[in-house]
Amino acid sequence: MCKIGACAVIAAAGSGRRMGGVSKPNIKLLGKTLFEYVLEAFDSSNVSEIVVVCSEDNEESLRALAVGTKKPISFTRGGVTRAESVRNGVEASAKSSTLICVHDCARPFVTPEMINETLDAAYKHGAACVSSPVTDTIKQKDAVTGFVSTPERATLFAVQTPQCFKKSLYLQALNMLAESISSFTDETSLLEELGVEVCYIQRSETNMKLTAVDDVPIAEILMKRKGGDL
Ligand code: C5P
């Protein structure tokens, strides 16, 4: 078990545009918000502190939901893009937190075991991330020529969160790529630009991200099954 200081950075500052403008962390599944599911998992994990990256619109409600959290918790404001929000979260972490664990608040199925396994792997390898095989055939279109190619499906996988890494590596990548961080949709891509070899972990449980309104009833059924009610 990794014993060094680790900070959870919960990215919860999205606009919720594809959710009809509703703040995603405040969406409820079986009467509990996505934020509470995520916070409970991190509060029971091996991280030593939690930084919540929130927006002007949801800060008050998230602070109210976090009362009673056992671990040290703080709030910071997000940026225009996810990458900027994560950067603000990392910058708000304690000096003693040498590992960072980034998680999308839109993924409520995260568990303490998933977090701890990813933290341990990042401690050993420098960076680690939860991923899953893709089940659709994926196409890639060249932006200039319009040529469409089909990468072999067996070589593809989808990258999720938690994404954990040594803070020193992230800060090096940030230093190198500060001008362009907004174009990175996750931290593994940023770290790979620096040459870091990320350890990708596949786990069997669902770790879906709620993106659109139609995801809510599906997630609710999966949450019921997870709780043993189905
Ligand atoms: O937009 P996407 O689905 O990639 O968002 C993933 C997570 O990042 C969500 O939990 C969202 O709240 C967060 N996010 C953020 N700041 C932004 C955009 C997204 O914290 N500017």
Side-chain angles (χ1 to χ4, degrees):
M1 190 182 87
C2 125
K3 287 262 190 238
I4 61 170
C7 176
V9 171
I10 301 178
S15 64
R17 194 174 28 87
R18 286 169 294 179
M19 275 288 180
V22 177
S23 156
K24 262 196 272 187
N26 293 95
I27 285 176
K28 285 187 177 174
L29 299 180
L30 308 177
K32 199 155 93 177
T33 62
L34 301 193
F35 180 63
E36 287 169 287
Y37 283 110
V38 169
L39 195 57
E40 278 174 21
F42 278 95
D43 209 23
S44 302
S45 77
N46 291 337
V47 299
S48 36
E49 59 159 337
I50 299 168
V51 171
V52 180
V53 188
C54 57
S55 66
E56 192 183 341
D57 292 343
N58 66 19
E59 177 166 356
E60 202 183 322
S61 60
L62 300 190
R63 277 185 184 273
L65 291 168
V67 170
T69 305
K70 297 188 293 293
K71 294 192 190 279
I73 184 164
S74 59
F75 289 76
T76 192
R77 288 284 172 85
V80 175
T81 63
R82 181 187 175 285
E84 290 169 48
S85 292
V86 169
R87 179 202 58 205
N88 294 358
V90 174
E91 285 174 350
S93 66
K95 210 169 171 200
S96 55
S97 290
T98 53
L99 272 183
I100 300 289
C101 180
V102 175
H103 188 67
D104 295 332
C105 197
R107 294 186 190 274
F109 293 94
V110 64
T111 62
E113 295 73 29
M114 194 188 287
I115 296 164
N116 294 344
E117 185 183 349
T118 316
L119 276 176
D120 286 349
Y123 181 61
K124 251 189 235 156
H125 302 282
C129 169
V130 174
S131 66
S132 70
V134 294
T135 49
D136 292 324
T137 293
I138 308 287
K139 300 278 176 180
Q140 183 168 39
K141 188 173 181 178
D142 187 287
V144 179
T145 63
F147 180 77
V148 174
S149 59
T150 313
E152 196 187 329
R153 191 166 61 185
T155 66
L156 300 173
F157 52 94
V159 167
Q160 306 175 343
T161 62
Q163 299 199 357
C164 302
F165 41 83
K166 294 195 170 145
K167 183 156 69 178
S168 57
L169 291 175
Y170 176 83
L171 293 177
Q172 271 183 62
L174 198 61
N175 200 23
M176 194 174 93
L177 301 158
E179 298 294 300
S180 58
I181 65 152
S182 293
S183 60
F184 291 88
T185 52
D186 81 328
E187 287 59 60
T188 61
S189 327
L190 195 72
L191 290 162
E192 280 163 352
E193 279 293 306
L194 191 73
V196 174
E197 232 179 273
V198 178
C199 170
Y200 290 99
I201 299 168
Q202 290 204 359
R203 291 184 57 99
S204 54
E205 70 267 56
T206 182
N207 186 23
M208 82 178 273
K209 179 168 80 170
L210 278 79
T211 304
V213 178
D214 286 350
D215 293 335
V216 177
I218 299 167
E220 203 146 31
I221 291 170
L222 292 171
M223 198 54 91
K224 243 186 208 166
R225 205 175 63 181
K226 187 181 172 195
D229 296 343
L230 268 189

